[in-house]
Amino acid sequence: MATNGSGEMQPSSKPVGKRRYRSALERRKIVEETLQLGASVAIIARAHDVNAHQVFCWRKLYRQGQLESKKDSAELVPVRVLDSVSGDAGKPVKREADGLPPGVIVVELGNARVRIEGAADPASIRATFAALDSLRR
């Protein structure tokens, strides 16, 4: 509704469209665009015909790990298990004792070493491996 010169309410000539449903994948892609260096949330939101406030809400969900699609939560990470571990010069790498308590994951990649204890959610483990993979490159 808009007001005319006399202060009366009159219907707006601009039609109000139906709300568009965005999948978790669409929302995540839009949020990831806004996280690029120098990106403007307002410009990206406008380009996708979304309110900028909505995109900021999606960004908050993204940071909390709640913007995962159900398909992504069941993804598997490729793993290769070796009987023996060797270092850069072919010398064996010192390994932790094989008597680790249940629920402990130790990952060594180059100079990086990550130890995950207890019940870790898949999103945290995926983020850990992604971070290690980016260090490797």
Side-chain angles (χ1 to χ4, degrees):
M1 294 268 187
T3 60
N4 63 10
S6 62
E8 296 176 13
M9 297 296 285
Q10 293 190 347
S12 173
S13 61
K14 186 176 180 183
V16 177
K18 242 178 122 174
R19 287 186 183 187
R20 180 170 173 207
Y21 174 78
R22 306 268 182 180
S23 69
L25 180 63
E26 284 180 288
R27 288 180 273 170
R28 192 171 59 247
K29 284 183 179 180
I30 292 169
V31 167
E32 287 171 350
E33 280 184 48
T34 68
L35 299 176
Q36 300 299 317
L37 186 63
S40 166
V41 172
I43 292 172
I44 292 169
R46 222 176 298 134
H48 291 281
D49 200 26
V50 179
N51 187 301
H53 294 289
Q54 181 67 63
V55 176
F56 279 110
C57 289
W58 292 344
R59 283 168 53 119
K60 183 178 179 182
L61 292 174
Y62 182 86
R63 285 190 300 269
Q64 295 171 348
Q66 297 178 6
L67 205 53
E68 297 289 324
S69 66
K70 290 179 177 134
K71 178 186 160 244
D72 289 346
S73 62
E75 271 186 36
L76 299 177
V77 178
V79 175
R80 188 173 57 157
V81 179
L82 302 174
D83 288 336
S84 63
V85 180
S86 60
D88 294 334
K91 298 176 187 171
V93 173
K94 182 180 174 187
R95 300 174 82 182
E96 282 195 19
D98 291 334
L100 289 174
V104 176
I105 301 171
V106 178
V107 178
E108 296 178 7
L109 184 63
N111 293 332
R113 179 183 214 176
V114 177
R115 181 180 171 127
I116 302 171
E117 296 183 14
D121 62 302
S124 297
I125 294 173
R126 190 177 306 111
T128 302
F129 284 118
L132 284 172
D133 188 45
S134 68
L135 288 175
R136 186 174 58 126
R137 293 179 185 177

